[in-house]
Amino acid sequence: MATNLKNLSSYNPNDIPNASGMRIGIVVSEWNEQITHALLEGASDCLKKHGVSDENIMVEYVPGSFELTLGAQYLLDYTLPELDAVICLGCVIQGETRHFDFICDAVANDIHRLGIDYATPVIFGVLTTNNQEQALERAGGRHGNKGVEAALTAIKMAALRNKLEAQFEKDKENIFGKL
């Protein structure tokens, strides 16, 4: 999505499912802490605004964006009751070497793979910017807060999964209960 065409924090609250009862994990990179803390604040506030209680938001920190996926996997493996979604928050700023490309590619692919492997929404809330100014603009600045967008995505995807899972169980009972 082209950020210059949209403020990440602008949305219609009526379009967001009620998230009360949802359990959401958030994994936050400690690297670029000023940015990632602002993303966490945006995500947490948004989750609470839509009904997720404080005790149902699990926040864990990892050293950098590269470690977000393993942190997310740990949350998925070792949190009971199970989480409805995991949000990965980080910030990778372009430097003079290709390190940026390798980190961004690995993190994006691994977050995607985790969601597929666990059949649980694992949300990519990682800023990949050319400079610090662009990151700040997307962490509460003029382009809103990508953490809010990540939280909304987590709520919507968890609600979709929960709805389809409940419908599947109901259909299964109706079909096999009649045999």
Side-chain angles (χ1 to χ4, degrees):
M1 135 184 12
T3 301
N4 62 340
L5 302 177
K6 182 175 179 165
N7 181 310
L8 303 175
S9 301
S10 297
Y11 66 96
N12 182 350
N14 297 324
D15 293 339
I16 308 305
N18 183 337
S20 61
M22 286 187 184
R23 292 176 42 81
I24 308 290
I26 304 176
V27 184
V28 185
S29 168
E30 295 172 331
W31 195 261
N32 292 313
E33 183 179 31
Q34 177 186 9
I35 305 299
T36 61
H37 179 76
L39 296 174
L40 173 60
E41 188 175 306
S44 297
D45 290 348
C46 182
L47 292 171
K48 292 174 196 173
K49 176 179 178 179
H50 293 286
V52 181
S53 64
D54 281 323
E55 59 270 7
N56 282 341
I57 300 173
M58 278 60 64
V59 178
E60 296 296 339
Y61 294 89
V62 295
S65 290
F66 190 77
E67 292 79 24
L68 287 170
T69 52
L70 187 55
Q73 183 175 340
Y74 289 161
L75 278 175
L76 290 165
D77 283 341
Y78 304 118
T79 304
L80 289 175
E82 291 182 4
L83 298 171
D84 291 288
V86 176
I87 301 168
C88 296
L89 299 175
C91 178
V92 184
I93 298 174
Q94 177 70 56
E96 295 177 8
T97 68
R98 296 193 54 219
H99 180 75
F100 174 87
D101 299 319
F102 294 118
I103 297 299
C104 293
D105 185 55
V107 173
N109 286 322
D110 287 350
I111 287 173
H112 170 75
R113 180 189 49 79
L114 273 179
I116 299 300
D117 289 352
Y118 281 83
T120 298
V122 180
I123 309 305
F124 183 83
V126 180
L127 297 178
T128 56
T129 62
N130 291 320
N131 54 53
Q132 179 88 4
E133 180 183 343
Q134 288 178 345
L136 290 168
E137 289 173 349
R138 289 154 179 80
R142 71 182 178 105
H143 290 302
N145 189 311
K146 179 78 172 177
V148 171
E149 182 182 314
L152 294 172
T153 301
I155 291 168
K156 287 181 175 183
M157 291 303 294
L160 174 62
R161 176 184 173 213
N162 293 344
K163 178 183 96 174
L164 293 175
E165 199 172 65
Q167 185 62 51
F168 176 78
E169 291 300 321
K170 181 180 173 186
D171 291 346
K172 190 168 72 172
E173 185 178 304
N174 287 339
I175 291 169
F176 295 113
K178 295 177 182 177
L179 295 179

